[in-house]
Amino acid sequence: MTALRLAFLLLALCAVAAWQVTVIPESLMQMTVGPVLAPAAIVLALCLVAVLYGLSAWRGQQVDLSHADGQQPLPGANTRLLSLLGGGVAFMVLVVPMGFVIPGAVCGMCIARAFDAPFNLKSGLICGAISLVFWVLFARLLGVGLGPALPWWI
């Protein structure tokens, strides 16, 4: 993929992100800062970076080092990519029937596997603990509606 194609892909992603910001519902409460401000600011900054990258790619100032010697993908790149994507899909599929912690642990294990960590009990315990800490932090302390931690537990 050339730098110019990557710039066009980034601009397309920015367009999708900008559209997603426009469909965020406004809060019914009177707030100084609504739910749209932070995502809009982030998307605006990313769009600016994508435009600047596109201009420098158009001028030929971006170098694609992926074709240089010694920059070939490591063996098993497709397996690692599928593990990474599979973790996200597993989380999305399992979060409603199984709560937050178990799908979060499975997702974390798949992401760790994508970075060549072993898929074993130790990895599961670490990812489960991280998932539980995130659930406690966001659902209990900050009041974000993540659903139940486990299907049989609040």
Side-chain angles (χ1 to χ4, degrees):
M1 176 176 292
T2 65
L4 195 57
R5 286 184 184 167
L6 181 61
F8 283 125
L9 180 63
L10 288 173
L11 289 172
L13 286 174
C14 284
V16 170
W19 166 66
Q20 284 294 304
V21 167
T22 63
V23 296
I24 295 175
E26 286 294 328
S27 176
L28 298 176
M29 298 170 45
Q30 292 290 342
M31 291 189 268
T32 307
V33 178
V36 178
L37 180 66
I42 292 169
V43 167
L44 182 65
L46 290 175
C47 289
L48 179 65
V49 169
V51 167
L52 293 174
Y53 179 79
L55 289 174
S56 65
W58 181 267
R59 295 178 185 151
Q61 296 171 338
Q62 295 298 326
V63 181
D64 187 5
L65 294 178
S66 65
H67 300 294
D69 290 334
Q71 295 298 319
Q72 293 77 22
L74 295 173
N78 290 336
T79 303
R80 285 193 300 276
L81 178 64
L82 289 176
S83 178
L84 184 71
L85 295 175
V89 170
F91 183 80
M92 289 185 283
V93 169
L94 296 175
V95 74
V96 172
M98 298 189 77
F100 183 84
V101 174
I102 294 172
V106 171
C107 179
M109 289 173 67
C110 290
I111 291 170
R113 179 70 187 110
F115 290 97
D116 291 333
F119 200 77
N120 58 17
L121 181 64
K122 179 182 173 184
S123 178
L125 290 174
I126 291 171
C127 292
I130 291 170
S131 180
L132 182 63
V133 166
F134 273 106
W135 183 82
V136 169
L137 174 67
F138 286 100
R140 289 295 177 210
L141 298 177
L142 297 176
V144 177
L146 296 178
L150 298 168
W152 59 87
W153 186 40
I154 302 174

